[in-house]
Amino acid sequence: MYKRITAAVLSAFAMGSSAMAADINVDELRSLANNLFKPIPTADVVVKEKGLTQEQIDLGRWLWFEPRLSKSHIITCNTCHSVGTGGADNIPTSVGHGWQHGPRNSPTVLNAVFNVAQFWDGRAADLAEQAKGPVQASVEMNATPQLVEETLRSIPEYVEKFAAAFPNDKNPVSFDNMAKALEAFETTLVTPNSRMDQFLAGKDTLNDQELGGLKLFIDKGCIACHSGINFGGQNYYPFGLVKRPGADVLPEGDRGRFDVTKTASDEYVFRAAPLRNIALTAPYFHSGEVWSLEEAVALMGTSQLGTELNDTEVKAITAFLHTLTGEQPTVEYPTLPASTKDTPRPSRM
Amino acid sequence: MYKRITAAVLSAFAMGSSAMAADINVDELRSLANNLFKPIPTADVVVKEKGLTQEQIDLGRWLWFEPRLSKSHIITCNTCHSVGTGGADNIPTSVGHGWQHGPRNSPTVLNAVFNVAQFWDGRAADLAEQAKGPVQASVEMNATPQLVEETLRSIPEYVEKFAAAFPNDKNPVSFDNMAKALEAFETTLVTPNSRMDQFLAGKDTLNDQELGGLKLFIDKGCIACHSGINFGGQNYYPFGLVKRPGADVLPEGDRGRFDVTKTASDEYVFRAAPLRNIALTAPYFHSGEVWSLEEAVALMGTSQLGTELNDTEVKAITAFLHTLTGEQPTVEYPTLPASTKDTPRPSRM
């Protein structure tokens, strides 16, 4: 089946994109796609599945926009993972405390709950573990668990809100519970009903070029790494499997998952990027050095598949990737409580 | 009348705060207060009065949270004037491009539409003129009008939105219209229904200590600078009228309105801070060096009024100032459109 479709699509493309649809059995393609991918559920479904309470989510929303989690009091989770811009900051690598910049491009928070693990190297098992990283990283928010707890405990409204979110805890205001609440809020940041999800559900929402792109995405082998509910984010692969990209895209100093596992075979291995909403979050790759999605698609062809995708193919796959943009979450900016005399003061240093 | 009330209040305080209410004629105080202050209208009233359209406001909301107005693509209007934290950033002086910090404390955007002019020295006549400042300031967003226009014109959704907001303009996507749209959005950031506004409207929302504080606020002469709809923000006064504060609070290098007017009498003259929501926006004064509202009240007594307020008086005035916290605006975070290949790229430099 695999080969047959490949051949059919390739010949369709040789005839030009307008001929594509005629050569594609849409029902067959949809059925194949449903075996490979999975639609994103709405936030209420995920919340129920995870057993989260509204109190936890709402506390998490406060913390998400809380600048006092950073030593400077000006950096929030949303600074690098903005809910308004595809869940990321869309600059090559994030800028943090002291205008320092980290080594890797900020991954999107949208649908991150569905990733197998967090960070480009998967060093955090879940979103709660992940949340603790940037808060403490000296090039990001540059705080400490002690500073965060002291800050939150100094503000009565937070004490109350943590107690409501974690009613069975003897000591609810903790760094661990901060992370759990952030995870609860992030769990609501899902983007259902993309055109691709509607296609999976049986609607004819993709045009000829997009259908052709989907077929190519399957046939060329992109699905080897980018499948499942997030079209990626499920496993680890060497960047430059077939041909190693230049040092601008794959800096030698960043050896990826090797730094987590210390296993030689994990050198330059990264978690395959989830591709949902990818059209919203240029620049691409862990180095954030590729600004064009078409260029990124072409580079994946050469580096991972050993295939020189032609211009029509690149454009079709890119068009298909645009169908992965879902409904963006609606988030109300929280009104945060005032500091008190006991709240630690900000420091730029 | 002025003297009589002063004497009555002072004797009330001499007897301790529980005796205050008995000595205050609440109806008389309310009537006096209604001559001095004015309640904040709701946003829809202000919007109607100003003749703003929903399209302008909505575009302004996008721009308010738009990091691409800054050269780095990480600083937004909301970074220094967060709608979640009293409309300010609540650090001594704002941090901007390159982690530089400006010379003065970020003023709140809340109710700023009612100020006589903008900035601590009133150098911008209105919010539209003000909005152009931080976007261009090298220590803040570090962009240029050209860069902003090029950025906005590169994004079709912005082109559409500017055309809808300014339907009679031949060239709607302009730096000027960016500023006008921001002003339109900021006009909605008002905080009606504070307990003081409810008191002005005839409700008994202030307790004894707060009533005493209000009387002191009037009798001690705070109202000379802090009156009107914003309890300040209406005129310019020398900081240190009676006794000059130390250089920590009033740095010698910042001569205030003198830099605008070049008039000797404007040395160390600043716009009287509007006091609405003041309990939310420590630290205080243009230098942002005083963290305690009580300390700020006591300092105003010595520097502006030549009065050593006692502890009971300071506490009462501070309690009164807390009644100026209004209903904070409800703001939905906008979903911003993606950049295109023509969008200028961010630069940390």
Side-chain angles (χ1 to χ4, degrees):
Chain A
M1 168 108 121
Y2 190 85
K3 292 244 167 177
R4 190 175 59 78
I5 294 173
T6 306
V9 170
L10 287 180
S11 71
F13 275 96
M15 291 185 283
S17 71
S18 68
M20 267 189 253
D23 290 70
I24 289 174
N25 180 329
V26 175
D27 291 334
E28 197 179 332
L29 182 61
R30 192 189 330 262
S31 154
L32 187 56
N34 267 306
N35 287 333
L36 293 166
F37 312 114
K38 223 180 118 181
I40 287 279
T42 53
D44 51 339
V45 172
V46 195
V47 164
K48 201 169 170 188
E49 210 176 87
K50 299 257 172 195
L52 302 169
T53 67
Q54 194 51 49
E55 285 78 8
Q56 290 164 342
I57 294 167
D58 205 47
L59 170 59
R61 185 173 60 100
W62 280 26
L63 294 167
W64 181 260
F65 290 102
E66 180 50 83
R68 288 165 293 192
L69 296 186
S70 69
K71 194 178 175 195
S72 66
H73 286 197
I74 66 158
I75 302 173
T76 71
C77 303
N78 199 65
T79 303
C80 301
H81 304 282
S82 172
V83 295
T85 55
D89 55 11
N90 305 340
I91 59 178
T93 66
S94 297
V95 173
H97 194 87
W99 210 251
Q100 297 171 90
H101 60 99
R104 294 181 189 153
N105 183 255
S106 168
T108 181
V109 66
L110 302 179
N111 310 307
V113 61
F114 302 120
N115 291 334
V116 63
Q118 305 302 325
F119 294 116
W120 280 97
D121 52 18
R123 67 183 183 277
D126 54 38
L127 288 167
E129 195 182 331
Q130 187 278 334
K132 296 179 185 176
V135 174
Q136 297 179 78
S138 62
V139 302
E140 300 186 53
M141 295 168 84
N142 199 28
T144 62
Q146 291 72 20
L147 183 63
V148 165
E149 290 178 355
E150 203 188 329
T151 299
L152 297 171
R153 284 177 191 149
S154 74
I155 301 170
E157 292 90 338
Y158 268 117
V159 173
E160 211 173 288
K161 231 168 157 72
F162 270 90
F166 303 100
N168 301 323
D169 281 27
K170 259 170 76 177
N171 196 5
V173 188
S174 66
F175 192 63
D176 278 354
N177 281 345
M178 170 211 74
K180 281 183 196 159
L182 281 168
E183 178 174 52
F185 172 66
E186 292 174 34
T187 298
T188 68
L189 302 178
V190 298
T191 66
N193 288 321
S194 68
R195 286 197 290 125
M196 178 60 186
D197 287 328
Q198 293 179 48
F199 174 78
L200 290 174
K203 291 191 189 155
D204 286 326
T205 41
L206 305 195
N207 68 26
D208 290 1
Q209 189 187 32
E210 292 156 355
L211 287 169
L214 168 58
K215 261 188 90 63
L216 282 165
F217 191 81
I218 296 171
D219 297 350
K220 292 286 180 182
C222 309
I223 49 157
C225 303
H226 299 282
S227 63
I229 190 166
N230 264 357
F231 295 71
Q234 301 305 313
N235 215 331
Y236 306 92
Y237 303 94
F239 192 3
L241 185 61
V242 180
K243 187 182 164 206
R244 190 143 165 212
D248 50 336
V249 174
L250 184 62
E252 297 220 352
D254 184 350
R255 290 189 291 175
R257 197 160 161 76
F258 172 80
D259 293 330
V260 180
T261 63
K262 306 290 175 201
T263 304
S265 60
D266 276 342
E267 275 205 321
Y268 304 105
V269 162
F270 295 88
R271 200 194 56 196
L275 297 183
R276 286 189 178 271
N277 305 296
I278 194 74
L280 303 180
T281 60
Y284 300 112
F285 303 123
H286 66 281
S287 54
E289 288 296 339
V290 174
W291 284 88
S292 146
L293 187 51
E294 291 187 5
E295 203 183 310
V297 167
L299 181 70
M300 285 280 98
T302 52
S303 71
Q304 305 304 102
L305 303 169
T307 302
E308 204 74 44
L309 297 166
N310 69 35
D311 193 51
T312 313
E313 292 169 333
V314 166
K315 282 193 161 55
I317 293 174
T318 303
F320 159 65
L321 292 178
H322 275 81
T323 72
L324 301 182
T325 302
E327 286 170 8
Q328 302 299 295
T330 302
V331 177
E332 191 184 302
Y333 210 99
T335 296
L336 299 171
S339 293
T340 67
K341 67 176 173 36
D342 298 324
T343 309
R345 295 189 185 157
S347 168
R348 276 196 303 265
M349 300 307 158
Chain B
M1 170 109 117
Y2 189 86
K3 292 243 167 171
R4 192 174 58 75
I5 293 172
T6 309
V9 170
L10 287 181
S11 69
F13 274 96
M15 290 182 284
S17 70
S18 68
M20 267 190 255
D23 290 68
I24 290 174
N25 181 329
V26 175
D27 291 334
E28 197 179 333
L29 182 61
R30 190 186 334 260
S31 154
L32 187 57
N34 267 307
N35 286 332
L36 294 167
F37 312 115
K38 225 180 117 180
I40 288 277
T42 53
D44 51 339
V45 172
V46 197
V47 163
K48 202 170 169 188
E49 210 175 86
K50 301 256 171 195
L52 302 169
T53 67
Q54 195 51 50
E55 285 79 7
Q56 290 165 342
I57 294 166
D58 206 47
L59 170 59
R61 185 173 59 101
W62 281 26
L63 294 167
W64 181 260
F65 290 103
E66 181 50 83
R68 289 164 294 191
L69 297 186
S70 70
K71 195 178 175 195
S72 64
H73 286 196
I74 65 158
I75 302 175
T76 72
C77 303
N78 200 64
T79 304
C80 301
H81 305 281
S82 171
V83 295
T85 55
D89 56 11
N90 305 341
I91 59 178
T93 66
S94 296
V95 173
H97 193 87
W99 210 252
Q100 298 171 89
H101 59 100
R104 293 182 191 152
N105 183 255
S106 168
T108 180
V109 67
L110 302 179
N111 311 307
V113 63
F114 301 120
N115 291 334
V116 64
Q118 305 300 327
F119 293 117
W120 279 97
D121 52 18
R123 68 183 182 275
D126 53 38
L127 288 167
E129 195 183 329
Q130 187 278 334
K132 297 178 182 176
V135 174
Q136 298 179 78
S138 62
V139 302
E140 299 184 53
M141 296 168 84
N142 199 26
T144 62
Q146 291 72 22
L147 183 63
V148 166
E149 290 179 355
E150 204 187 328
T151 299
L152 297 171
R153 284 178 190 146
S154 74
I155 301 170
E157 292 90 337
Y158 268 117
V159 173
E160 211 174 286
K161 229 166 160 71
F162 270 90
F166 303 100
N168 301 323
D169 282 26
K170 261 170 76 176
N171 197 3
V173 188
S174 66
F175 193 62
D176 278 354
N177 282 345
M178 169 211 76
K180 280 183 197 159
L182 281 168
E183 178 174 49
F185 172 66
E186 292 174 36
T187 297
T188 68
L189 302 178
V190 296
T191 65
N193 288 321
S194 69
R195 285 198 290 126
M196 179 59 187
D197 287 328
Q198 294 179 47
F199 173 78
L200 289 174
K203 290 189 191 157
D204 286 326
T205 41
L206 305 196
N207 67 25
D208 291 0
Q209 189 187 32
E210 292 156 355
L211 287 170
L214 167 57
K215 261 185 91 63
L216 282 166
F217 191 81
I218 296 171
D219 297 349
K220 291 287 183 183
C222 309
I223 50 158
C225 304
H226 298 282
S227 62
I229 190 166
N230 264 356
F231 295 72
Q234 300 306 310
N235 215 332
Y236 306 91
Y237 302 94
F239 193 2
L241 185 61
V242 179
K243 188 184 165 203
R244 197 147 159 206
D248 50 335
V249 173
L250 184 62
E252 296 221 352
D254 185 350
R255 290 190 292 176
R257 196 158 163 74
F258 173 81
D259 292 332
V260 180
T261 63
K262 304 293 176 199
T263 304
S265 60
D266 276 343
E267 275 204 324
Y268 304 105
V269 163
F270 295 87
R271 200 193 56 195
L275 297 183
R276 285 188 179 273
N277 305 295
I278 195 74
L280 303 179
T281 61
Y284 300 112
F285 304 121
H286 66 283
S287 53
E289 285 297 340
V290 174
W291 285 87
S292 145
L293 188 50
E294 291 187 5
E295 202 182 310
V297 167
L299 180 70
M300 284 279 98
T302 51
S303 72
Q304 304 305 100
L305 303 171
T307 302
E308 204 74 43
L309 297 166
N310 69 36
D311 193 53
T312 313
E313 292 169 333
V314 167
K315 283 193 159 56
I317 294 174
T318 304
F320 159 64
L321 292 177
H322 274 81
T323 72
L324 301 182
T325 302
E327 285 169 9
Q328 303 298 296
T330 302
V331 177
E332 191 184 302
Y333 210 98
T335 297
L336 300 171
S339 294
T340 67
K341 66 177 174 34
D342 298 322
T343 308
R345 294 187 187 157
S347 167
R348 274 196 303 264
M349 299 307 157

